[in-house]
Amino acid sequence: MNILDVPVIKDFIRMCNDGWELGYHERNGGNLTYRMRPEEVALCKDAFTYDKPWVKMGVQAENLKNEYFIATGSGKFFRNVILAPQDNICIVEINDAGDSWRIVWGLEKGGVPTSEFPSHFMNHSVRVKATDGAYRVIYHAHTPSLIALTYVLPLTNRDFSRVLWQSATECPVVFPGGVGVVPWMVPGGADIALATSKLMEEFDAAVWAHHGLFCSGPDFDITFGLMHTIEKAADIYVRALSCGQGIRQTISDDNLRAIAKDFGVQLREEFLD
Ligand code: 2HA
Ligand code: ZN
């Protein structure tokens, strides 16, 4: 099978394009990684080469040794992925020590995996541990309305979670655990990777102040859906504020509790009044 016909590769490409079409990925903004299942690796293996050098990441994870990840390329544009996947995304293998990657497919015109690979890698590690291996996707996007809110709301997990839950009735069902918030930090390095992965021990989503959002999930649909739902909620709140009269009424804490009860989800109680 041609690697570009393998379903997981097609799904990865589609998600990149969906994010582009929704306006989350100006220029080279955002990045996506997926931890492959062994049977998916087997379907792609004929296209792999093992002659590229190992590259150290500056972070290490015991539970990701020898894993394979599909990743967007550093400096590559999401809008080009669908046109030339082989030049804009790659598959990397992780070494025996869990501290280095090497490209086995893709980025045929040169390049390296996303500049946020250390953050993705550490987030994968904590989500794998927290979900007993169920989570496979880490997605970072520059979601405009959520970024706007990082200029006007206090940068706390509680403030962001409450506003987002209150901004659309489905939100407490989609992310009952709420969202974490990372203060502004220099992107791309080990420090922001560690700060984000600390939050990912508890949250499926982490806001990066004045930058964007990280989401994690078991598959492309759930992870993209989480990104989309959070950004849509932020957009509704921004629109409501833009009417210029302040917030007259909202979904109350007891309303939120009632939704949680009926839909069988556990809301993070310390975020409620
Ligand atoms: O890939 O989004 O955070 C570019 C970025 C860095
Ligand atoms: Zn970014």
Side-chain angles (χ1 to χ4, degrees), residues 28-31 115-116 140 142 187 208 211:
N28 63 317
N31 22 76
S115 59
E116 302 296 358
H140 167 57
H142 295 174
W208 278 9
H211 185 145

Side-chain angles (χ1 to χ4, degrees), residues 126-240:
V126 299
R127 296 317 290 159
V128 163
K129 187 160 173 238
T131 67
D132 211 10
Y135 272 36
R136 296 189 170 273
V137 187
I138 301 289
Y139 179 36
H140 167 57
H142 295 174
T143 41
S145 294
L146 188 73
I147 296 170
L149 288 186
T150 67
Y151 293 88
V152 298
L153 290 180
L155 294 175
T156 72
N157 306 340
R158 190 175 196 275
D159 284 285
F160 268 79
S161 297
R162 289 179 62 77
V163 157
L164 294 167
W165 283 345
Q166 289 164 347
S167 294
T169 294
E170 296 279 310
C171 283
V173 182
V174 176
F175 49 100
V179 300
V181 181
V182 181
W184 187 88
M185 294 176 77
V186 176
D191 289 347
I192 197 165
L194 288 174
T196 310
S197 62
K198 191 96 201 79
L199 283 175
M200 285 263 171
E201 287 170 10
E202 293 181 61
F203 298 99
D204 282 353
V207 180
W208 278 9
H210 321 318
H211 185 145
L213 179 62
F214 260 85
C215 287
S216 64
D219 59 33
F220 295 122
D221 278 351
I222 298 294
T223 314
F224 192 81
L226 180 60
M227 181 71 72
H228 195 189
T229 304
I230 290 174
E231 171 58 8
K232 188 161 186 183
D235 193 47
I236 290 164
Y237 193 70
V238 168
R239 289 179 197 217

Side-chain angles (χ1 to χ4, degrees), residues 30 51 67 89 120-122 125 258:
D51 55 349
E67 293 277 358
I89 66 174
H120 282 245
F121 189 76
M122 294 311 292
S125 178

